[in-house]
Amino acid sequence: MRVVLRNMSQSDSRPFWLGLIGGLLGIAAAFFAFFFGAFTSAFDPSAGYDLIIGLGASALLFSVTGIVGGVLKKNTLGLL
């Protein structure tokens, strides 16, 4: 198996836009999860909505990672 690094053309901007749109939607979903978890735990603190807040934090982390991955698309790792 041989590993080949190839440069993507400048006209192929799909990874950038997919990473950006997916990241922004993920950030919006993360803030919705933060809001939902905080709002519901205000009314019922014993229900354990800390998990939802934690999932919102992980969604925020992975969304930022998706945006960074879309921006840093200069080289791709391809197997030939």
Side-chain angles (χ1 to χ4, degrees), residues 8 35 38 43 57 66 70 72:
M8 295 181 73
F35 174 74
F43 289 111
L72 298 177

Side-chain angles (χ1 to χ4, degrees), residues 6-48:
R6 44 191 171 104
N7 289 327
M8 295 181 73
S9 67
Q10 292 289 12
S11 64
D12 189 21
S13 62
R14 285 175 291 174
F16 170 74
W17 289 111
L18 286 174
L20 185 67
I21 291 170
L24 291 176
L25 288 175
I27 289 172
F31 282 117
F32 176 75
F34 285 145
F35 174 74
F36 181 76
F39 186 73
T40 52
S41 70
F43 289 111
D44 190 12
S46 64

